[in-house]
């Protein structure tokens, strides 16, 4: 087997190829993770982003407890869709099993974000959906942002992070929602998760969710009996941005 000398150690050609194979998702995960503090979506290490490669059946995710300013692409941990570490010496995020469940069951997502951003988390702690009060909300989804019911005791006492993935999936099944149309959720008493076809879109959705959550909070404080947006406006705003004849971009 061919050996390559690197620094004071020896690396096999197989090892180098293996690292190169995952480098793109480690880079994607790194770039997405460092956006979270820039967007004001995390405090300390309260959040994570993952980036998937479905052809390889793996995703790269932030290592647990590592401050954002100490991250690098090489520190991103590569994990399979069963939550097993494939590459990396650091411990993956404590939310890794939740990401794994979502990737395994929802086949058209390529990035997932979990934060404890202030306003979205406050709605989650209140166990409330975020009502669709305005056009900013309707530009992105046509329904209230769903809040999954708090987890049952037997799920909490079991494999908690794994069960959180099913808490999210079950909420969508019960409400007849499509994860491709609604790319965000509040987990009751916990915090938000968002996803998208790419990690960049998942981060975008996380920022949008936090903004929607803040706007809805302020709306109810200005007018406690504020009305939901009319269906005609919901349809107009969503379709002008996402419909077959979309034209809105700002």
């Amino acid at each position: 087997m061919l050996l390559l000398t690197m620094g004071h150690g020896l690396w096999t050609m197989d090892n180098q190829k293996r690292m190169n194979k995952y480098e793109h998702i480690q880079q994607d995960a790194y770039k997405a993770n460092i956006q979270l503090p820039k967007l004001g979506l995390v405090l300390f290490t309260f959040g994570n982003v993952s980036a998937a490669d479905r052809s390889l059946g793996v995703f790269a995710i932030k290592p647990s407890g590592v401050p954002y300013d100490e991250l690098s692409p090489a520190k991103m941990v590569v994990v399979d869709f069963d939550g097993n570490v494939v590459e990396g010496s650091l411990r993956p995020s404590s939310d890794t099993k939740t990401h794994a469940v979502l990737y395994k069951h929802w086949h058209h997502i390529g990035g997932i974000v979990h934060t404890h951003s202030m306003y979205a988390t406050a709605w989650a702690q209140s166990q409330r959906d975020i009502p669709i009060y305005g056009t900013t909300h309707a530009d992105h989804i046509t329904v209230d942002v769903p809040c999954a019911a708090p987890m049952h005791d037997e799920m909490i006492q079991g494999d908690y992070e794994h069960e959180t993935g099913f808490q999210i999936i079950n909420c969508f099944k019960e409400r007849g929602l499509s994860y491709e149309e609604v790319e965000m959720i509040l987990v009751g008493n916990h915090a938000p998760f968002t996803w998208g076809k790419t990690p960049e879109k998942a981060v975008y959705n996380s920022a949008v969710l936090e903004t929607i959550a803040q706007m809805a909070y302020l709306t109810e404080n200005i007018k406690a009996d504020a009305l939901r947006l009319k269906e005609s406006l919901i349809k107009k705003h969503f379709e002008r941005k996402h419909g077959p004849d979309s034209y809105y971009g700002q």
Side-chain angles (χ1 to χ4, degrees):
M1 183 179 290
L2 179 61
L3 297 178
L4 299 176
T5 302
M6 293 186 67
H8 299 291
L10 293 177
W11 290 66
T12 67
M13 181 67 79
D14 286 345
N15 283 338
Q16 187 188 43
K17 287 180 178 177
R18 188 180 181 192
M19 288 193 70
N20 290 340
K21 184 164 74 169
Y22 303 128
E23 186 176 9
H24 63 297
I25 54 172
Q26 289 177 305
Q27 185 71 32
D28 289 345
Y30 167 72
K31 288 180 179 178
N33 271 285
I34 61 174
Q35 286 300 308
L36 298 186
K38 292 178 181 178
L39 292 168
L41 297 173
V42 296
L43 177 68
F44 300 119
T45 61
F46 300 175
N48 47 75
V49 186
S50 63
D53 184 322
R54 292 200 164 271
S55 67
L56 297 175
V58 298
F59 61 96
I61 193 167
K62 179 186 177 294
S64 181
V66 178
Y68 287 90
D69 59 2
E70 295 178 15
L71 292 178
S72 68
K75 289 181 179 178
M76 299 297 110
V77 186
V78 181
V79 183
D80 67 22
F81 293 164
D82 289 314
N84 302 306
V85 174
V86 174
E87 190 76 52
S89 58
L90 298 174
R91 182 164 55 90
S93 165
S94 57
D95 298 298
T96 294
K97 289 183 179 180
T98 305
H99 290 240
V101 167
L102 296 180
Y103 282 128
K104 191 169 185 177
H105 290 82
W106 288 349
H107 299 156
H108 301 293
I109 56 176
I112 297 171
V113 177
H114 174 52
T115 74
H116 287 250
S117 60
M118 184 176 295
Y119 286 89
T121 300
W123 283 90
Q125 291 178 173
S126 301
Q127 299 181 32
R128 284 190 61 193
D129 296 354
I130 302 176
I132 183 167
Y133 285 131
T135 60
T136 308
H137 188 143
D139 282 339
H140 297 89
I141 60 174
T142 60
V143 296
D144 297 350
V145 177
C147 182
M151 193 180 290
H152 296 303
D153 287 349
E154 59 270 23
M155 296 171 71
I156 295 171
Q157 293 160 8
D159 192 343
Y160 176 70
E161 290 78 16
H162 181 78
E163 295 291 358
T164 301
F166 288 103
Q167 184 183 11
I168 294 168
I169 290 170
N170 291 340
C171 177
F172 270 63
K173 285 181 179 178
E174 290 164 5
R175 300 192 187 204
L177 298 174
S178 165
Y179 73 87
E180 293 182 84
E181 295 178 6
V182 179
E183 297 179 321
M184 55 187 68
I185 192 171
L186 308 174
V187 175
N189 293 135
H190 186 178
F193 281 82
T194 64
W195 50 87
K197 291 185 177 179
T198 65
E200 292 83 4
K201 182 63 189 308
V203 171
Y204 172 87
N205 288 334
S206 188
V208 167
L209 173 55
E210 178 63 6
T211 299
I212 288 172
Q214 184 174 6
M215 288 177 172
Y217 169 79
L218 293 171
T219 298
E220 291 193 355
N221 275 269
I222 294 168
K223 192 174 190 294
D225 58 349
L227 300 176
R228 292 176 83 257
L229 192 63
K230 294 194 300 183
E231 287 298 326
S232 57
L233 269 176
I234 293 173
K235 181 178 174 65
K236 177 64 176 180
H237 272 263
F238 187 79
E239 290 191 352
R240 72 174 187 159
K241 190 166 184 175
H242 304 283
D245 300 314
S246 60
Y247 62 88
Y248 178 80
Q250 269 194 347

